[in-house]
């Protein structure tokens, strides 16, 4: 009797809020409980986006958040099933979905039913281990942003297979997960401009050991790539290779690499000279490079007259010895001017006249 009464009351609440749902506003929390609909993603849930300032995401459209849920019986699919049955066809589009601080372990097939989202964000879900290959199949043509932070996701093959279906993806941000490799030909999105796997400031990382061949090859508009991994030891021959680009699209590609296991011999021959005609800014943080190998970095600088190398002050082991003489020989201009193409290089005033490589 009590269950029947509760169900009747629930139906009454849904009917009372039906007009609100039709109007394009947020549906009642009773429909979504324990989740909720908001017009602004809360400021306490953010994803680290740049070096110094966390990005607070402010969205003035309807978004759904499920946060601080630690009930083992919580059924996320049921939430969206209930919501879908009370929404008009023209009212199923939302801006973002945020799953924040829950004990959810698995995201099942077609989890959102007939609802659509532009951004999918998963933060502080430490037990989230598996996402069904078809979990987001119904919204794959809508997703523009995919972000994770502090999850237990580790199946790279599965995850990148899912990501590859997001044809309109423009930003990927993944931090402090368990992803150990980026597959060959991992991406194919025309609109994808930003990829972040950890931040070079050591605030976040990703335990990537391997970057596959041609991983970023089919990304004609990529502008920012950040990889911070203390497990990354080798940059393979075609890891950063880029497809031929239009002469009208010559924007800088910024690549930030950070990791204690990156050394001077970590770079395969020609691994940094396959950017076609695109200018590239290559930034190093917290590496163990002791010198810049002429066979690797001189061809890189010659791929485009505007390409630069940024040797951050965090690269403490970098030496001023004869292995760096080629830099002095080929790229010394005016020390106090910005046109030097190896930024942060500390050896401009060193005398390399006795080095045989300086002939």
């Amino acid at each position: 009797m009590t269950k029947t009464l509760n169900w009747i009351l629930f139906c009454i609440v849904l009917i009372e809020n039906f007009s609100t749902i039709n109007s394009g506003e947020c549906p009642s929390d009773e429909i979504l409980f324990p989740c909720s609909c908001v017009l602004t993603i809360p400021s306490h849930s953010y994803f680290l986006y740049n070096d110094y300032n966390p990005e607070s995401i402010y969205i003035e459209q309807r978004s759904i958040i499920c946060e601080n849920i630690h009930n083992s019986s919580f059924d996320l699919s049921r939430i969206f099933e209930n919501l879908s049955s009370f929404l008009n066809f023209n009212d199923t589009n939302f801006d973002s979905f945020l799953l924040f601080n829950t004990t959810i372990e698995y995201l099942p097939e077609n989890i959102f039913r007939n609802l659509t989202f532009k951004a999918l964000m998963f933060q502080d879900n430490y037990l989230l281990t598996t996402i069904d290959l078809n979990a987001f199949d119904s919204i794959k043509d809508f997703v523009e942003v995919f972000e994770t932070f502090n999850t237990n996701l580790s199946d790279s093959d599965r995850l990148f297979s899912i990501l590859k279906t997001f044809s309109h993806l423009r930003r990927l941000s993944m931090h402090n997960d368990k992803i150990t490799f980026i597959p060959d030909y991992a991406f194919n999105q025309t609109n994808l401009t930003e990829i972040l796997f950890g931040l070079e400031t050591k605030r976040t990382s990703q335990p990537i050991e391997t970057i596959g061949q041609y991983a970023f090859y089919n990304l004609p508009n990529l502008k920012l790539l950040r990889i911070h991994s203390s497990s990354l030891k080798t940059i393979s021959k075609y890891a950063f290779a880029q497809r031929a680009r239009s002469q009208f699209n010559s924007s800088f590609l910024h690549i930030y690499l950070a990791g204690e296991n990156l050394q001077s011999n970590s770079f395969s021959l020609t691994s940094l000279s396959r950017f076609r005609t695109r200018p590239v800014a290559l930034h190093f943080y917290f590496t163990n490079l002791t010198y810049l190998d002429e066979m690797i970095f001189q061809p890189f600088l010659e791929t485009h007259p505007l390409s630069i190398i940024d040797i951050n002050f965090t690269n403490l082991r970098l030496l001023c010895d004869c292995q760096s003489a080629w830099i002095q020989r080929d790229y010394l201009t005016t020390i106090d001017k910005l046109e030097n193409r190896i930024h942060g290089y500390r050896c401009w005033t060193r005398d390399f006249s006795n080095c045989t490589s300086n002939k």
Side-chain angles (χ1 to χ4, degrees):
M1 182 66 181
T2 303
K3 290 184 178 180
T4 302
L5 181 59
N6 288 339
W7 176 250
I8 293 173
L9 292 174
F10 177 71
C11 291
I12 292 173
V13 170
L14 294 180
I15 293 171
E16 289 177 347
N17 288 279
F18 192 71
S19 60
T20 300
I21 296 173
N22 283 337
S23 68
E25 300 176 1
C26 270
S28 168
D29 282 351
E30 284 84 355
I31 299 174
L32 288 166
F33 184 82
C35 302
S36 60
C37 177
V38 297
L39 297 181
T40 301
I41 295 296
S43 60
H44 66 268
S45 58
Y46 60 80
F47 291 82
L48 301 176
Y49 177 66
N50 55 35
D51 299 353
Y52 308 105
N53 300 309
E55 180 191 28
S56 295
I57 304 171
Y58 298 102
I59 299 173
E60 300 305 327
Q61 298 181 32
R62 295 185 309 165
S63 298
I64 293 177
I65 61 172
C66 299
E67 61 178 343
N68 304 320
I69 301 171
H70 304 101
N71 185 345
S72 59
S73 63
F74 172 60
D75 187 350
L76 188 58
S77 295
R78 183 64 181 271
I79 297 294
F80 291 108
E81 184 178 352
N82 290 339
L83 181 57
S84 296
S85 50
F86 288 95
L87 289 175
N88 283 340
F89 177 77
N90 293 327
D91 203 43
T92 58
N93 300 321
F94 290 80
D95 196 276
S96 301
F97 170 68
L98 169 64
L99 188 69
F100 175 75
N101 186 28
T102 75
T103 52
I104 287 180
E105 301 177 12
Y106 173 68
L107 298 180
E109 180 180 9
N110 193 24
I111 189 170
F112 297 126
R113 300 302 189 266
N114 66 327
L115 307 181
T116 67
F117 295 91
K118 292 181 181 179
L120 300 178
M121 301 177 286
F122 304 93
Q123 180 179 353
D124 293 346
N125 302 286
Y126 292 94
L127 301 182
L128 180 58
T129 303
T130 306
I131 299 176
D132 188 277
L133 275 172
N134 300 310
F136 311 128
D137 193 57
S138 63
I139 65 170
K140 62 185 179 182
D141 294 329
F142 297 87
V143 176
E144 298 178 13
V145 176
F146 186 86
E147 299 184 329
T148 64
F149 182 57
N150 293 335
T151 76
N152 198 38
L153 294 171
S154 62
D155 190 337
S156 291
D157 283 328
R158 177 186 295 264
L159 182 60
F160 282 94
S161 292
I162 293 172
L163 293 174
K164 209 167 185 177
T165 67
F166 297 153
S167 57
H168 297 291
L169 189 68
R170 59 180 175 81
R171 176 180 165 200
L172 175 66
S173 177
M174 302 187 68
H175 306 269
N176 294 355
D177 308 302
K178 309 295 182 183
I179 303 302
T180 58
F181 69 90
I182 302 172
D184 296 349
Y185 294 97
F187 301 97
N188 60 353
Q189 291 92 342
T190 302
N191 298 325
L192 187 52
T193 60
E194 300 174 358
I195 299 176
L196 291 80
F197 294 111
L199 295 177
E200 65 280 0
T201 55
K202 286 191 172 183
R203 295 173 68 184
T204 64
S205 65
Q206 199 69 269
I208 294 171
E209 300 173 3
T210 306
I211 301 174
Q213 305 286 25
Y214 300 100
F216 313 101
Y217 189 66
N218 293 312
L219 296 177
N221 292 301
L222 184 64
K223 295 180 180 179
L224 176 63
L225 173 62
R226 281 181 151 105
I227 301 176
H228 174 202
S229 171
S230 58
S231 302
L232 185 61
K233 297 180 180 180
T234 303
I235 304 299
S236 61
K237 186 175 182 179
Y238 298 103
F240 295 136
Q242 293 275 287
R243 183 186 286 273
R245 300 173 53 80
S246 165
Q247 61 178 331
F248 302 107
N249 191 349
S250 58
S251 59
F252 255 97
L253 169 59
H254 287 267
I255 299 177
Y256 291 76
L257 294 176
E260 294 83 353
N261 274 314
L262 283 176
Q263 303 180 31
S264 296
N265 61 357
S266 293
F267 302 87
S268 301
L269 196 65
T270 74
S271 61
L272 298 179
S273 57
R274 297 183 179 274
F275 298 106
R276 303 289 181 163
T277 58
R278 188 171 190 190
V280 178
L282 187 60
H283 309 264
F284 290 108
Y285 286 76
F286 297 104
T287 71
N288 274 316
L289 274 69
T290 56
Y291 67 97
L292 298 182
D293 190 332
E294 181 178 3
M295 299 295 290
I296 303 297
F297 293 97
Q298 200 272 348
F300 162 76
L301 290 171
E302 294 306 311
T303 59
H304 195 282
L306 295 179
S307 290
I308 64 169
I309 299 171
D310 176 15
I311 308 172
N312 188 267
F313 66 90
T314 60
N315 298 283
L316 300 177
R317 294 190 60 192
L318 206 67
L319 303 175
C320 294
D321 59 18
C322 285
Q323 294 178 101
S324 298
W326 68 273
I327 300 175
Q328 194 87 335
R329 178 193 68 217
D330 296 342
Y331 295 100
L332 175 63
T333 56
T334 303
I335 296 175
D336 59 351
K337 291 187 177 180
L338 295 177
E339 67 260 24
N340 288 309
R341 297 176 61 196
I342 303 182
H343 298 179
Y345 180 60
R346 299 186 297 271
C347 307
W348 291 119
T349 59
R350 186 61 60 93
D351 182 7
F352 291 107
S353 60
N354 293 327
C355 296
T356 56
S357 61
N358 200 41
K359 292 182 180 180

